[in-house]
Amino acid sequence: MKHISYSFSNSDIEAITFALTVLPSLELEETEAQAAINYQCCCSAGEKLLKHDTNIAPNEFRVILASLQAVQLINQGELEVDQETKQKCSSYLFTVNKLVSVFNKQMS
């Protein structure tokens, strides 16, 4: 398990849990099996963060970063979504950009 060395604010957790709801709806996975794995990881990662548990499994870490990057791509106009989702994503613009940077540093 990976322990994230970052102190999440409530707005960080809100942005991440929002992003974790967006990723499964994009249906970017190539197989149903991968979609199911990603969905379960989104659920478990969100639950852990809501409990302020930062003992994140590698697959949970992966889906958190992928979710944040997806929201970032939506905000940049590189992923097409409905207007309502796009508007919600834009409300997390600055927090998501900050968190993508934080998570990318955790990868190195």
Side-chain angles (χ1 to χ4, degrees):
M1 297 237 268
K2 184 169 185 76
H3 181 76
I4 297 174
S5 59
Y6 177 79
S7 181
F8 293 102
S9 69
N10 287 336
S11 62
D12 292 339
I13 292 171
E14 183 181 333
I16 294 169
T17 54
F18 167 75
L20 288 168
T21 67
V22 171
L23 184 66
S25 70
L26 297 174
E27 300 179 351
L28 300 173
E29 298 85 2
E30 293 184 18
T31 66
E32 288 295 318
Q34 189 61 54
I37 291 167
N38 287 351
Y39 178 76
Q40 289 303 316
C41 289
C42 285
C43 292
S44 61
E47 188 175 316
K48 284 181 181 180
L49 288 172
L50 288 172
K51 293 177 181 177
H52 297 275
D53 177 0
T54 56
N55 289 315
I56 304 295
N59 273 341
E60 292 168 337
F61 186 86
R62 177 186 55 80
V63 297
I64 290 170
L65 180 56
S67 298
L68 291 167
Q69 289 171 330
V71 171
Q72 191 175 51
L73 290 171
I74 291 167
N75 285 331
Q76 294 169 350
E78 295 182 37
L79 270 178
E80 290 295 319
V81 294
D82 61 85
Q83 191 59 38
E84 180 182 353
T85 302
K86 189 173 186 173
Q87 186 175 359
K88 288 178 182 177
C89 288
S90 70
S91 68
Y92 295 103
L93 176 73
F94 297 108
T95 304
V96 165
N97 288 342
K98 174 189 75 170
L99 290 168
V100 166
S101 175
V102 167
F103 275 77
N104 279 331
K105 288 177 187 170
Q106 290 283 328
M107 293 291 285
S108 41

